[in-house]
Amino acid sequence: MSADLTKLAKLLQELDDQMVACMKCGMCQAVCPVFSETMKESDVTRGKIALLERLAAELINDAEGVQEALNRCLLCGSCGANCPSGVQISDIFIKARTIVNQYMGLSPVKKAILRGMVGNPKLFNMLLDFGSKFQNLMTSKASEKQGTRKAPLLEPFIGNRHFNPVAKKSLHAKYGTIDTPAGKSGIRVLFFPGCVADKMYTNMGEACLKVFKHHGVGVWMPATQACCGIPALSAGDKKAYDKMVKYNTEIFAEGEYDYIVAPCGSCISTIMKYWPKYGKEYPADMQRKIEKIAAKAMDINEFLVDVLGVKPEGEAPKGGKKVTFHDSCHLKKGLGVAEQPRDLIRMNSNYELVEMNEADRCCGCGGTFTLYHYDLSKKIGGRKRNNVIETGANVVSTGCPACMMQLSDMLSQNGDDVEVKHSIELYAETL
């Protein structure tokens, strides 16, 4: 107990040190997607920081209220990207959630999901592989265009959401471990498909493998790799997060490769930035391994354009199917990757790229945010859906599987005739 209190006090001190730079200027109000819907000061960064400045007292007075206020945040990074003082806001909120969970304890449901299932890759894979065979018993088709389903019987628990089903056969079940040498490119990558590409959007994973093969890129894809840990970290469950990071690190440290490539900006930003940042208390040997791994992490759009030199020549295609692009938060605001996916889309002469209004505004998913605050997530997502529709696009593309899920839900519920595809899928069509 004494050790736990000491650790908690240290986290509170770190939080105070980070918050001191906030000038309470309110610039965050203009870019916060949650605040734009609720207009509540407690939902914007400035209000949350004011709460956190008296966190110790507030935890004693109303721990559940503090937890609810912190959870009403997408961690989209919009406030941080526009903060004139450079306050590391996402880091502050992640640490604050960790403190609250250490104080209150994790709920049995979150503990079962994050530590029992997601944190146990063999069990996680087995449950979803098994569940894929029976999922249609409780669901019905929602939209052919987006490939979504709905579950009327489960509406009291999940709302009227339209969701993409688990793939009949996951990527790891189909291929096992892939281990091929470098070809004409002279490059070999560790392919990290991420949970969603592995278990849901397997077409996206297949597109990545097709692209690697075409460019002579060797691939190592360990069948035993686990989640990157971002769901646990954003939920404030450092214990589950540490377990996933250490598990993956031991696997990744054994391989020989030039880059770690993923089709998910969230996964890559977690490996590149969060693994080193939140691993300072790990053993020195583990920290060295993580630093080496993080230095090799790269989004697949960035890898193809900046490393392999895949770029369109001449004028952009006109007159084909219209495609618009949504900048996912972690990809653009976290990694600075925005032009590369657009370059890949322009490589496909069957499509004309048209820009939507507010292309880099959050879609409202935010990982577990959409699970606990679906009505609010839906309002934010509805604004994104409207921006997509206004372009007249036949396809909306993005570089994030989670955003694809949110976009599919919003478009499916409105009966829109718009497909949702990853930028790598559009490029792979040309090969």
Side-chain angles (χ1 to χ4, degrees):
M1 180 63 73
S2 177
D4 289 341
L5 288 174
T6 300
K7 191 173 183 179
L8 197 60
K10 183 182 178 183
L11 285 172
L12 284 166
Q13 182 59 56
E14 290 176 359
L15 207 58
D16 286 340
D17 293 341
Q18 286 184 282
M19 291 189 297
V20 71
C22 178
M23 301 184 300
K24 309 293 191 302
C25 65
M27 290 287 288
C28 45
Q29 286 185 339
V31 295
C32 177
V34 177
F35 178 78
S36 70
E37 296 297 335
T38 67
M39 302 304 289
K40 292 181 178 179
E41 181 70 12
S42 59
D43 283 336
V44 78
T45 300
R46 181 175 65 178
K48 286 181 171 61
I49 286 184
L51 170 70
L52 294 177
E53 286 174 340
R54 53 183 191 279
L55 181 58
E58 290 295 335
L59 279 175
I60 296 172
N61 294 331
D62 184 13
E64 291 185 359
V66 172
Q67 187 176 56
E68 171 63 13
L70 288 173
N71 286 343
R72 287 171 67 88
C73 173
L74 288 151
L75 293 178
C76 65
S78 298
C79 49
N82 290 275
C83 178
S85 302
V87 181
Q88 299 299 304
I89 298 164
S90 292
D91 289 346
I92 290 172
F93 289 167
I94 286 173
K95 281 185 180 178
R97 289 180 180 183
T98 301
I99 290 169
V100 172
N101 278 336
Q102 284 192 7
Y103 179 81
M104 295 183 63
L106 207 65
S107 72
V109 175
K110 283 188 177 181
K111 189 177 293 185
I113 293 173
L114 296 173
R115 298 182 187 178
M117 189 169 69
V118 181
N120 186 334
K122 289 183 179 179
L123 177 62
F124 190 31
N125 289 342
M126 183 185 72
L127 288 174
L128 289 191
D129 287 344
F130 179 77
S132 67
K133 298 176 175 59
F134 302 99
Q135 60 185 330
N136 290 352
L137 296 176
M138 292 290 289
T139 65
S140 59
K141 186 180 293 184
S143 169
E144 190 75 42
K145 204 70 174 179
Q146 290 88 31
T148 53
R149 301 187 70 82
K150 56 185 177 180
L153 293 176
L154 299 178
E155 275 192 29
F157 307 101
I158 66 172
N160 184 34
R161 67 179 73 232
H162 292 193
F163 50 87
N164 298 87
V166 177
K168 292 181 180 178
K169 195 164 189 178
S170 62
L171 217 59
H172 69 264
K174 182 175 181 179
Y175 292 100
T177 293
I178 297 176
D179 193 351
T180 61
K184 61 184 179 182
S185 71
I187 296 172
R188 177 173 150 95
V189 301
L190 190 168
F191 179 45
F192 187 83
C195 299
V196 182
D198 176 50
K199 298 166 177 63
M200 293 178 67
Y201 291 120
T202 52
N203 286 344
M204 183 212 306
E206 298 274 9
C208 294
L209 295 175
K210 179 181 179 180
V211 168
F212 292 141
K213 184 176 181 180
H214 174 81
H215 288 285
V217 175
V219 176
W220 180 43
M221 184 182 80
T224 53
Q225 59 187 291
C227 171
C228 68
I230 188 61
L233 185 64
S234 61
D237 186 3
K238 189 68 163 50
K239 184 175 181 179
Y241 167 79
D242 288 341
K243 181 181 178 182
M244 296 176 211
V245 173
K246 291 175 181 178
Y247 175 90
N248 279 326
T249 297
E250 293 299 346
I251 295 173
F252 296 174
E254 297 300 315
E256 293 293 331
Y257 48 90
D258 302 292
Y259 300 93
I260 297 176
V261 177
C264 175
S266 299
C267 291
I268 287 299
S269 61
T270 301
I271 295 171
M272 181 192 295
K273 298 182 177 183
Y274 291 157
W275 281 19
K277 183 176 292 184
Y278 295 106
K280 301 300 183 184
E281 76 277 14
Y282 297 166
D285 181 57
M286 178 71 67
Q287 290 187 48
R288 285 192 292 270
K289 289 178 180 178
I290 287 174
E291 291 287 349
K292 187 176 179 181
I293 290 168
K296 296 181 178 182
M298 184 174 285
D299 170 72
I300 193 163
N301 297 281
E302 186 180 16
F303 173 72
L304 288 171
V305 174
D306 296 352
V307 177
L308 296 185
V310 178
K311 289 187 179 180
E313 296 180 1
E315 295 184 5
K318 299 287 184 182
K321 285 185 177 181
K322 288 185 177 181
V323 56
T324 191
F325 187 77
H326 160 65
D327 291 286
S328 66
C329 297
H330 284 145
L331 192 60
K332 183 177 181 180
K333 300 181 183 79
L335 299 174
V337 175
E339 286 306 312
Q340 294 92 329
R342 288 173 169 83
D343 282 339
L344 294 186
I345 292 171
R346 292 188 184 102
M347 291 291 291
N348 193 326
S349 60
N350 294 319
Y351 294 93
E352 176 186 349
L353 179 62
V354 291
E355 293 291 346
M356 74 171 85
N357 187 35
E358 302 178 324
D360 63 352
R361 190 176 182 86
C362 182
C363 68
C365 180
T368 55
F369 179 90
T370 189
L371 297 178
Y372 294 101
H373 301 95
Y374 183 58
D375 288 344
L376 188 49
S377 171
K378 193 173 176 180
K379 287 180 180 178
I380 298 169
R383 179 167 171 167
K384 176 62 64 173
R385 173 261 171 194
N386 292 342
N387 286 332
V388 171
I389 296 302
E390 285 172 4
T391 66
N394 308 101
V395 176
V396 56
S397 180
T398 186
C400 173
C403 293
M404 290 174 68
M405 294 170 63
Q406 177 78 342
L407 290 166
S408 295
D409 185 12
M410 297 300 102
L411 293 165
S412 177
Q413 290 202 35
N414 285 278
D416 298 316
D417 191 26
V418 181
E419 290 185 88
V420 181
K421 291 188 176 184
H422 194 284
S423 51
I424 197 67
E425 293 181 88
L426 296 179
Y427 173 62
E429 289 177 8
T430 69
L431 307 180

